[in-house]
Amino acid sequence: MNAQEYISSGIIESYVMGLTTPEENTEVEAMCRQYPEVLQARIAFEELLEQQSMQNALAQPASLKATITEAAMKNTAAKVVAIEKSSVPKISWFKYVAAASVILLAGSLYWNITLYNKNKQLENNYSSSIAKLDDLQKQIDMINLNPHMKMAAMKGMDASPSSFATVYWDTTSKDVYLLVNNLPAPPTNQQYQLWALLDGKPIDIGMIENDFFVSQKRLLLKMKNASQAQAFAITLEKKGGNPTPEGKMYVMGNL
Amino acid sequence: MNSGIKYSEQELVALLQQRSESAFSYLYDNYSGALAGVINAIIPDTETMRDVLQEVFVNIWKKIELYDASKGRLFTWMMNVARNAAIDKIRSRGYQESKKNLSVDNGGQEMAIGGVSLPQTKDIGLQRMLAGLKEEYRTLIELSYFQGYTHEEISKALGIPLGTVKTRIRSALSNLRTMIR
């Protein structure tokens, strides 16, 4: 049914005059919201009815106004008094308060549990963060506070000019630590291998595990010891490495 | 009486909701006559009509929060409050008793509908408008609007299918609009 048919069906007049069922009321109200012309028709009929009623007004004696006004005002007053004086509302107040406190208590319990869990999680995160920091601090101290520590800054070669890595070599303990500043993640079937160079000959100092590039948990990687070295270099080799470098060299640096 | 102030419907409703006595006074001055006419069309007896008018104004004052401007104009709402109060009155036992003394025993409500002791066309407002309607329409409007019978009740009492009652009432009201124009 289109809006025009709806308007001429007479349902709007029925609605305005209070002759429609609740379901029909809902329908008319929806139609008024949807179709401006339906709303217009409703208002037009309402105005017509009002105008008609005004023309047929029955004047009432002046004394009636005072009586009716008094009755209305007394009614407002009576309502206020009822709320203030009656004891019944007091009981219901208690009920409301009791109900409200139960709800509040339940809410507060839930909130407490949530907060407790959150707090615990934060605590865990905090202690693991502290442990990580400690670990990092130890690694850094190892380099900074050790007077025997030598460093080789390895710069990117032709294969990967932006790559960069650093080797820290303890000349006393011969321990080698690798700091990967920037290396592209290797293909899964290959691995980076660190070499110490002595008189131009490469000596295997160990593999960089590929999962380092995934998790990056550690700052410094402990490699094999190097008894002697003049320089260090990293090449990309097959998985597990090679006895002598076969792949491309990514970085290299002198001590 | 009229102080010359003119409120918009919105302002008037807002003031009534704030329980402004001067707004009530304005409402009474402007609408008591029209609402008296609406009630009188259902209750011809002046004294009873005024009792109902008082009830209507008290109700409007008490229930103004229930008025929803999106559903219709203020006057429409008040008119329906008045009509409902008037119908409640004529349906009340007290009113029925007082009526019985005046008329012949009509054997209860069902008969009253069936026998439709109709217009006595009161020469006012809607009733006068009704006079121009076809007989079959007039009866239906009289029963539904002025006596407050539901469509189902009318359908049963007059032996007309419910759908027909509804369509006829609607087209009667639709005619009403064009007639007034």
Side-chain angles (χ1 to χ4, degrees), chain B residues 116 118 134-144 158:
Chain B
V116 186
L118 272 191
K134 276 195 272 178
E135 176 67 34
E136 55 177 19
Y137 285 166
R138 212 167 62 197
T139 308
L140 290 175
I141 299 294
E142 170 66 28
L143 289 175
S144 62
L158 299 185

Side-chain angles (χ1 to χ4, degrees), chain A residues 100-138:
Chain A
S101 37
V102 169
I103 292 166
L104 280 177
L105 182 62
S108 146
L109 273 177
Y110 172 76
W111 187 237
N112 280 344
I113 291 167
T114 314
L115 277 185
Y116 174 78
N117 287 341
K118 264 199 189 151
N119 202 15
K120 228 175 167 186
Q121 201 186 334
L122 279 179
E123 219 169 73
N124 288 343
N125 289 350
Y126 178 72
S127 29
S128 77
S129 299
I130 287 288
K132 257 188 211 164
L133 262 182
D134 269 358
D135 194 33
L136 288 177
Q137 188 63 49
K138 268 182 207 152

Side-chain angles (χ1 to χ4, degrees), chain A residues 7-21 24 29 32-33 39 41-62 64-65 67-73 75-76 79, chain B residues 1 9 19 21 24-26 28-34 36-38 40 49-50 53-54 57-58 61-62 69-73 75-76 79-80 83 124-126 128-129 144-145 151 166 169-171 173-174 176-177 180-181:
Chain A
I7 290 168
S8 52
S9 75
I11 190 172
I12 293 165
E13 289 81 357
S14 289
Y15 171 81
V16 169
M17 294 177 78
L19 296 180
T20 37
T21 63
E24 289 168 336
E29 282 150 20
C32 284
R33 277 194 298 273
L39 180 64
R42 192 200 79 197
I43 292 172
F45 184 69
E46 286 185 279
E47 283 170 347
L48 189 68
L49 213 52
E50 177 169 351
Q51 190 192 314
Q52 201 65 28
S53 305
M54 287 299 191
Q55 279 169 20
N56 292 287
L58 291 180
Q60 298 303 305
L64 189 61
K65 182 177 177 180
T67 315
I68 288 182
T69 306
E70 199 191 340
M73 297 308 138
N75 211 283
T76 332
K79 248 168 109 181
Chain B
M1 275 295 182
E9 230 179 77
R19 297 286 178 269
E21 280 197 44
F24 183 83
S25 168
Y26 177 91
Y28 185 90
D29 291 343
N30 283 275
Y31 297 106
S32 57
V38 170
N40 188 243
M49 179 275 283
R50 285 182 184 153
L53 185 65
Q54 171 168 329
F57 271 99
V58 170
W61 180 244
K62 258 172 34 182
S70 75
K71 293 181 177 174
R73 291 167 54 79
F75 183 78
T76 306
M79 189 177 171
N80 282 320
R83 173 182 169 254
I124 45 161
L126 273 172
R128 191 172 56 200
M129 285 153 57
S144 62
Y145 187 77
H151 293 8
K166 194 173 277 190
I169 287 176
R170 296 225 174 128
S171 76
L173 292 175
S174 204
L176 213 57
R177 183 176 52 175
I180 301 169
R181 284 243 165 94

